[in-house]
């Protein structure tokens, strides 16, 4: 009987090995049937490059320096990231080639209806995080997909709830991580996100700067 049991498991193992041999890596160009473009990420953000890479899509980074990111003072807050993402896309309109698809994006942090920009230095970063401490705020990312023939815009909003942070915690984070290139003066994927974020409503990756789940489905439908 023991010999029969061993024979059974040996046969099962062989079948598993055979099944494994037949498996082939999935081809995303089959999944993304409508996407036959060369993807251009129009951003030098390390977070956006990391997130887009996570979709297993080949892409090229192409950055035009000095794009004006100003916006009208009377523009509704929720429209600001769309406005800036459009301005970024317009800068690529003349250079985009047939068969290319450019992705531009802009992320803003909103507290009490006001935009929290990138901090100018240490003191401003500390003040910003103190304002976010113990409160909820919104993070809005707008994305533009553009080819030579058409474009599509969408935006995603996430709500982040910070617990109360001590002055020592805030200063430790700012001094170690120097979040001066980040809207709202923090990166949710860093230490402060580990210890300070109580909850998130919506996409975590949106808070990092690119709502990749929504982006993936928009690319499928483009």
């Amino acid at each position: 009987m023991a010999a029969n049991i061993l024979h059974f498991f040996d046969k099962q193992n062989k079948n598993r090995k055979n099944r494994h041999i037949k498996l082939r890596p999935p081809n995303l160009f089959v999944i993304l049937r409508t996407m036959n473009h060369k993807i251009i990420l129009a951003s030098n953000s390390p977070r956006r490059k990391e997130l887009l890479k996570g979709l297993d899509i080949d892409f090229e980074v192409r950055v035009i320096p000095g794009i004006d990111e100003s916006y009208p003072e009377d523009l509704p807050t929720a429209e600001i990231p769309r406005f800036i993402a459009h301005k970024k896309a317009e800068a690529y309109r003349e250079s985009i080639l047939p068969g290319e698809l450019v992705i531009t994006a802009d992320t803003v942090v909103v507290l009490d209806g006001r935009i929290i920009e990138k901090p100018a230095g240490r003191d401003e970063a500390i003040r910003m995080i103190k304002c976010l401490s113990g409160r909820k705020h919104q993070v809005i990312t707008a994305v533009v997909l553009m080819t030579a023939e058409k474009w599509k815009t969408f935006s995603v909003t996430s709500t982040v709830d910070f617990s109360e942070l001590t002055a020592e915690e805030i200063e430790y984070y700012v001094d170690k991580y120097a979040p001066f290139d980040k809207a709202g003066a923090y990166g949710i994927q860093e230490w402060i996100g580990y210890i300070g974020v109580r909850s998130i409503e919506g996409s975590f990756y949106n808070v990092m700067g690119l709502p990749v789940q929504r982006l993936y489905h928009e690319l499928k439908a483009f």
Side-chain angles (χ1 to χ4, degrees):
M1 182 175 179
N4 289 336
I5 293 174
L6 289 173
H7 176 72
F8 171 79
F9 282 110
D10 183 58
K11 185 176 181 181
Q12 290 296 311
N13 287 333
K14 287 180 180 178
N15 288 337
R16 290 192 187 96
K17 289 179 181 177
N18 289 336
R19 287 199 299 270
H20 181 70
I21 291 171
K22 293 176 183 178
L23 291 176
R24 294 181 179 179
N27 186 337
L28 269 180
F29 288 104
V30 175
I31 298 173
L32 299 173
R33 294 179 185 276
T34 61
M35 196 194 75
N36 296 312
H37 299 92
K38 178 181 180 180
I39 303 298
I40 308 297
L41 176 62
S43 173
N44 211 24
S45 163
R47 277 84 59 191
R48 290 194 179 118
K49 286 187 279 189
E50 175 188 352
L51 291 171
L52 187 56
K53 186 177 180 181
L55 290 182
D56 289 345
I57 296 172
D58 292 332
F59 64 94
E60 172 188 318
V61 174
R62 189 181 301 169
V63 177
I64 297 176
I67 296 175
D68 176 24
E69 297 186 20
S70 62
Y71 52 86
E73 291 185 3
D74 59 348
L75 191 67
T77 302
E79 294 299 317
I80 291 172
R82 282 178 173 261
F83 183 87
I84 297 174
H86 276 177
K87 289 184 78 172
K88 292 178 180 179
E90 283 288 351
Y92 289 82
R93 182 180 289 276
E94 296 298 322
S95 61
I96 191 170
L97 299 175
E100 292 184 337
L101 187 154
V102 172
I103 301 173
T104 65
D106 190 73
T107 300
V108 298
V109 173
V110 181
L111 178 67
D112 295 335
R114 297 176 57 189
I115 299 292
I116 307 296
E117 306 280 0
K118 297 174 183 178
R122 180 182 187 273
D123 291 344
E124 189 172 15
I126 290 172
R127 285 197 300 271
M128 285 181 177
I129 299 175
K130 283 182 177 178
C131 289
L132 300 176
S133 174
R135 306 187 63 191
K136 291 183 178 182
H137 65 273
Q138 288 70 47
V139 179
I140 308 171
T141 299
V143 179
V144 174
L145 308 179
M146 183 180 69
T147 65
E149 296 81 26
K150 62 178 181 176
W151 66 355
K152 171 70 182 292
T153 307
F154 64 90
S155 62
V156 174
T157 301
S158 303
T159 299
V160 180
D161 182 12
F162 264 112
S163 59
E164 291 283 352
L165 300 167
T166 66
E168 292 78 13
E169 289 168 338
I170 294 172
E171 290 174 11
Y172 169 81
Y173 171 71
V174 171
D175 289 339
K176 182 169 183 178
Y177 291 88
F180 311 127
D181 63 335
K182 298 175 177 67
Y186 78 94
I188 196 169
Q189 73 279 9
E190 296 174 339
W191 181 82
I192 199 168
Y194 291 5
I195 64 102
V197 173
R198 194 157 39 199
S199 66
I200 302 172
E201 298 172 23
S203 167
F204 171 86
Y205 298 112
N206 181 57
V207 183
M208 283 183 66
L210 194 65
V212 284
Q213 186 270 347
R214 176 71 180 275
L215 174 61
Y216 174 79
H217 289 280
E218 292 290 350
L219 285 171
K220 284 178 67 176
F222 191 78

